[in-house]
Every structure is written in C-alpha cells, then in structure tokens.
Amino acid sequence: MDPAYKKAYLLYHVCVFLWGFTAVFGKVIDLTETMLVWYRMGITTLVLLFLPAVWKHLHALNRKTIFQLFGIGILVAMHWIAFYGSIKAANISVALTTLATTSIFVSIGEPLLFKRKFIWHELALGILVVPAMYLIFTFSGEYTKGIILGLISTVFATAFSLLNKKMIAKAHPLHITGIEIGSGFLVLTCVLPFYIHAHPDIALSPSGMDTIYLLIFAVVCTVLPFTLSLYSLRHISVFTASITLNLEPVYGIAMAIFFFHENKSLHPGFYVGTLIILAIVFLDPFIRRKFGQMRIPPYVPGE
C-alpha cells in the first residue's frame, strides 16, 4: 500500500472519530441550539480568518458563486440548529440515527437535481429505511420532537451536500468552507436580536467550562478535522471518504452509550431500527462494487 495513501486514510479515520465527538459537545454544552451554533460558527470563522489559504485568491471568485455559497451557508446553519435541537429534545442516539439516513435522501434527491436516471438499488434501500424509521418512532414515542428535528436536519444536510457537489468545481474547498460558515455566522448574528427578544430567559454567554468546551468544539472538532480531511482527500477518493464518514453515527452512538448511558433509556426496538439503517448505509457500497455501479456520491462533510 502506498505510504501516502495509508497515512491519508488513517488521518481521515481520525477526522471521522473527531466529528463523532461533536454530538457529545452538543449534549454537554449548556446553551440552546441556536446560541451553540452561533458560537461554533463564530469561533470557527475567526480561526479560519487566520489561515491565509482561506482568503488568498478569494477575490477571483465571481459574485454569483459567492452569493450561491452564501445561501448554502444558511442551509448549513439551519442543519446544525435542527441537529443540535434534536440532541437537546431527545438524545445523541436519536439525532445521529436520523442523520444516518442522509445518504438515502441524497440517493433520491440527486437524480432529481442532476436530472439522471434513478438506480434501482438506491430506491430499494430508500424504501427499506421506512420500516426502520417506523420502529424508531414506535419505540421512542417520548422523543418524537427530537426525531422530527433530526429528520429536518437531514433534509437540510441533503440539500447543502447536493448543492456543494455543484460548487466544488467552482471554488476551492477552503473558500467554500470559509464563505459558508462565515455567511451562516453573519445571518445568525442578524437574527440573534429577534431570537433573544423571543426567548428572554436563555443563557447568552457560556459558563467557564462551556467556554473551554466551545473552543475544543470549534478548533479540535471543526477546524482541525476539516484541515486534515483536505490533506486526506488529495490521496483518497471521495467515494472512500464518504463511505468512511458513515462511521460517524457509529462512533457518536458508542460515545453516547459510554458517556451518558443512553442505552438504559432507549427501547431495544430503537436499536433494531438503528442497526437496519446502518446496515443499509454499509450495504450500499457493497452493491455498487458487486454490480459495477460505482458512481461517487456527493461528499457530505462531518458534523
């Protein structure tokens, strides 16, 4: 095995493992989902501004591309708010299980957006998700709000991942990330006064420990894995990256069980539904290899 490929592959696994921690931070940080995302995007934007590669040659992008990235950044912010809202309303396991359906939503949405034919096995796998989600709803009635927010976050994740597939040919990944996260932060900053007025009792600033958690959250679990993933994608394919990323829900749910003992509060039927969804996610690349349908799916960045 090529040493550069091996190093890149291992680094990407490190990225996915670090992204698995984002759900844990969403649980432990005592801020509402909107404030949490505002701080995360703000700190990440500030850190990215110190990376010359982010703003170098940024002026070369045309205005249309910048506006498109600005709009996608709003979708990213809405996805994160719904995702962390799902964690707050339910728990990590519920949020990550619903998020694991993203690849299935992508397989249905991509043919519509890019006007190509549907692939039979993608439709079949998409249909199999329905009974799995039914099991999760049936045995997790008290988490209905969290499941609905998780599914909404999945819709937003599907939308921005498909749109980013179109944008990757127009701009450097660092430019895409910088503009999208920066625009999400800017829009949330404009909306924040209205949000605070509607929720006057919420905490506006993090506590001492939450401040430390936020810094780790933004730097170690956002900027660092993103930078490492860029290096990795120079040596591994997007297909390999997208399949490896499917481990994020596995890591996250394992952490939820380890740190918060969530397995004690969830019915076994929930995990049956979760295993079905994860099996579908991992079955997809197997079928592609078996039948030669190796179309590379859109790259969905980690949480």
Side-chain angles (χ1 to χ4, degrees):
M1 183 183 292
D2 177 30
Y5 175 88
K6 184 178 180 180
K7 180 180 179 182
Y9 184 69
L10 291 175
L11 279 178
Y12 200 80
H13 271 280
V14 172
C15 295
V16 175
F17 182 72
L18 291 175
W19 280 323
F21 272 101
T22 60
V24 174
F25 282 110
K27 180 80 172 179
V28 300
I29 296 175
D30 192 22
L31 290 170
T32 64
E33 56 273 14
T34 301
M35 295 304 302
L36 174 64
V37 174
W38 182 74
Y39 275 109
R40 182 188 188 184
M41 287 188 139
I43 296 171
T44 302
T45 300
L46 185 63
V47 173
L48 287 173
L49 286 176
F50 284 94
L51 299 178
V54 174
W55 43 266
K56 189 178 181 181
H57 305 305
L58 195 61
H59 63 278
L61 292 179
N62 61 60
R63 186 176 300 177
K64 181 181 178 181
T65 299
I66 292 175
F67 277 121
Q68 288 172 334
L69 291 173
F70 192 97
I72 296 173
I74 298 174
L75 294 178
V76 174
M78 296 304 295
H79 158 65
W80 277 347
I81 289 173
F83 176 71
Y84 292 110
S86 176
I87 292 175
K88 303 287 186 182
N91 55 41
I92 293 172
S93 299
V94 167
L96 286 173
T97 297
T98 54
L99 188 65
T101 63
T102 301
S103 59
I104 308 301
F105 280 97
V106 166
S107 70
I108 296 172
E110 188 179 13
L112 298 176
L113 183 63
F114 293 94
K115 298 179 180 179
R116 65 159 179 82
K117 293 182 179 179
F118 286 92
I119 296 177
W120 69 268
H121 89 267
E122 291 182 342
L123 290 175
L125 294 179
I127 293 171
L128 286 175
V129 169
V130 176
M133 290 306 302
Y134 175 78
L135 278 174
I136 291 170
F137 266 105
T138 300
F139 294 107
S140 308
E142 69 272 30
Y143 297 129
T144 299
K145 180 181 178 182
I147 294 173
I148 292 173
L149 284 172
L151 290 174
I152 291 173
S153 78
T154 301
V155 172
F156 282 122
T158 301
F160 79 71
S161 66
L162 288 173
L163 292 172
N164 269 344
K165 184 177 182 181
K166 284 190 170 184
M167 301 308 299
I168 199 69
K170 300 180 180 180
H172 189 278
L174 274 174
H175 291 160
I176 292 175
T177 301
I179 294 174
E180 288 182 357
I181 292 184
S183 65
F185 173 66
L186 180 61
V187 170
L188 284 181
T189 300
C190 294
V191 172
L192 209 57
F194 303 98
Y195 176 76
I196 295 172
H197 178 74
H199 304 84
D201 298 327
I202 64 170
L204 299 180
S205 57
S207 64
M209 281 306 299
D210 278 351
T211 301
I212 296 173
Y213 290 149
L214 276 169
L215 290 172
I216 298 173
F217 185 31
V219 178
V220 179
C221 294
T222 306
V223 177
L224 178 61
F226 174 76
T227 305
L228 291 177
S229 69
L230 285 178
Y231 168 81
S232 300
L233 288 172
R234 294 176 182 174
H235 303 280
I236 64 175
S237 69
V238 179
F239 182 82
T240 299
S242 64
I243 296 306
T244 306
L245 192 59
N246 290 330
L247 288 171
E248 183 185 347
V250 178
Y251 290 144
I253 292 173
M255 291 174 191
I257 293 173
F258 180 80
F259 289 111
F260 306 109
H261 308 291
E262 289 188 358
N263 55 306
K264 295 181 179 180
S265 62
L266 291 166
H267 191 280
F270 169 85
Y271 287 103
V272 173
T274 299
L275 287 174
I276 292 173
I277 291 174
L278 293 177
I280 290 170
V281 169
F282 286 102
L283 186 61
D284 177 63
F286 172 78
I287 294 176
R288 292 182 192 278
R289 293 180 186 276
K290 185 72 174 178
F291 295 96
Q293 294 175 331
M294 293 299 292
R295 179 181 53 80
I296 297 176
Y299 173 61
V300 184
E303 293 309 302

